[in-house]
Amino acid sequence: SQMRSLKTFQRAFSTRDWAFKPTFTPEFTTHRYEKSMPAFRVMDQEGNILCKEFENIEKDQLIDFYKLMRKLNVTDTVFNISQRQNRVSFYMTSWGEEAEVIGSTAAIKFEDMVYPQYREQGGLMFRGFSIQDMAHQLFGNKNESGKGRQMPVHYGDKDKNWMTVSSPLGTQVPQAAGAGYHYRIRGEDKICMVYFGDGSASEGDSLTALNFAATLKCQTLFFCRNNLYAISTPADDQFAGDGIAPRGPAFNIPTIRVDGNDLFAVYNATKIARDIIVKEKGPVLIESLSYRVGDHSTSDFSKMYRDEEEMKKWENYLPIISDPILRLHKYIEKNNLIQDLEKVEKEWDDEVRKEVMKALTVAEKEKKAKISDLFLGVYHDKPLHLQEQEKELFDHLEKYGSEYGLKDYEAEQFA
């Protein structure tokens, strides 16, 4: 259902302190969750504003957001095609989720730490990560910070306060609780925002993180992207309850459910959530409702499990949630914010397409990092066991190096 005024859901107790205050009754009762939590919405699927109070993004900033959403969409399209051309080995798109990742990142401070899942590249682009940076990472060449030691799409940038993506689901969630605890005990005006999906929410790590954050009052914003599919597992096989949001009040955590395809709603909800975290010195949970338009990744073929029969279950939901780019397009058109809108959009898209293609050409010509970099980046002083492994590898390469295509790597001596 729709909710036009933003409200956080929390247990009925007025204090953020221990909420366990049982009462007793001779009446026997079993408790079930009976009322669905409404989702905060500012702009409907036709681009109409439902609550003027939250129509509060300046024109120039809104256009920048829209341009970046389109940029992300086109970038994803070209990089995805490049994987099909066997230029890069793997890719994941953000199709259909552009508003929630860009709107949420834009609503917090640059100094706030972000722990991504793997579909939030739009937020990192908002912080200044370039298309060329992305291309270098996808090829794992010498110019990317990970030096080719991560899978493609596993971006990270220390200077932009963006933790490197980790493949195993849910591992970043308790880590983010720890970061939020650090900020709270140091009295910093800083939060940690962690993204995770409805699939990761089924991992024990996520529940552990929520419990730690609630009891230790961690300055952590848990942002769950509920796009209704955990790879091939649909939401109705993932949980029997009312989504992810009800888990917040169970831990006495203020909780917001938001229309994730509404840029205004996501931006305002995240901004208010950050204020609550800093003011009350405790966590907030946001469940963002969206829909994963594309395959889970280039290793997936979603038509195998999202057939005509499967899609019938979403026939009421999808028209209401709409496409985030189309929805904002309608708003901009209705309010005449950009003259010759479709012409401008085409110019933007063509420019991005050229930029991505150029970035791919540059990145694929670069050499891979030095093989010796394999043993760096974890310890300040290289421990003995790594020194022994490095020597063993170098002795092997000195003898059999011609078998390993070393010309693709930065040159170095192995003797």
Side-chain angles (χ1 to χ4, degrees), residues 57-73:
I57 302 176
E58 295 293 333
K59 174 185 173 181
D60 290 346
Q61 187 180 31
L62 183 67
I63 292 173
D64 286 343
F65 289 165
Y66 182 59
K67 187 176 182 180
L68 182 56
M69 287 168 63
R70 297 192 69 92
K71 181 177 182 177
L72 171 60
N73 184 276

Side-chain angles (χ1 to χ4, degrees), residues 23-206:
T23 58
F24 300 90
T25 175
E27 297 180 8
F28 178 79
T29 308
T30 59
H31 297 274
R32 293 178 183 270
Y33 196 85
E34 297 178 350
K35 185 178 180 181
S36 178
M37 188 181 293
F40 173 56
R41 167 178 273 197
V42 176
M43 177 176 61
D44 70 13
Q45 62 269 33
E46 298 301 325
N48 301 310
I49 293 298
L50 306 174
C51 182
K52 299 291 290 186
E53 176 188 355
F54 296 107
E55 189 187 13
N56 53 4
I57 302 176
E58 295 293 333
K59 174 185 173 181
D60 290 346
Q61 187 180 31
L62 183 67
I63 292 173
D64 286 343
F65 289 165
Y66 182 59
K67 187 176 182 180
L68 182 56
M69 287 168 63
R70 297 192 69 92
K71 181 177 182 177
L72 171 60
N73 184 276
V74 174
T75 300
D76 277 345
T77 299
V78 180
F79 279 149
N80 199 67
I81 291 172
S82 74
Q83 191 280 334
R84 301 309 189 197
Q85 297 171 335
N86 204 31
R87 297 176 77 180
V88 300
S89 61
F90 179 82
Y91 197 72
M92 304 181 81
T93 67
S94 298
W95 294 330
E97 300 183 58
E98 295 89 353
E100 60 183 355
V101 296
I102 291 171
S104 55
T105 305
I108 62 175
K109 293 185 177 181
F110 182 86
E111 295 76 20
D112 294 332
M113 191 71 195
V114 174
Y115 281 70
Q117 185 177 21
Y118 43 57
R119 214 180 295 278
E120 294 84 23
Q121 54 263 39
L124 186 53
M125 292 169 75
F126 176 82
R127 289 195 170 185
F129 202 73
S130 70
I131 288 176
Q132 189 63 69
D133 292 331
M134 297 171 73
H136 285 318
Q137 199 284 329
L138 294 175
F139 281 96
N141 65 37
K142 66 178 184 179
N143 295 319
E144 70 107 355
S145 60
K147 304 297 182 184
R149 291 174 291 191
Q150 269 281 19
M151 283 182 63
V153 197
H154 287 45
Y155 309 110
D157 194 322
K158 182 179 179 181
D159 294 335
K160 294 176 176 55
N161 300 309
W162 198 274
M163 184 61 68
T164 304
V165 171
S166 179
S167 286
L169 287 181
T171 56
Q172 77 279 14
V173 190
Q175 293 167 3
Y181 178 62
H182 171 81
Y183 300 145
R184 199 267 296 167
I185 62 176
R186 290 171 63 95
E188 296 187 40
D189 178 14
K190 188 183 293 188
I191 72 164
C192 180
M193 181 165 68
V194 56
Y195 293 100
F196 58 107
D198 48 288
S200 292
S202 295
E203 295 284 339
D205 285 342
S206 297

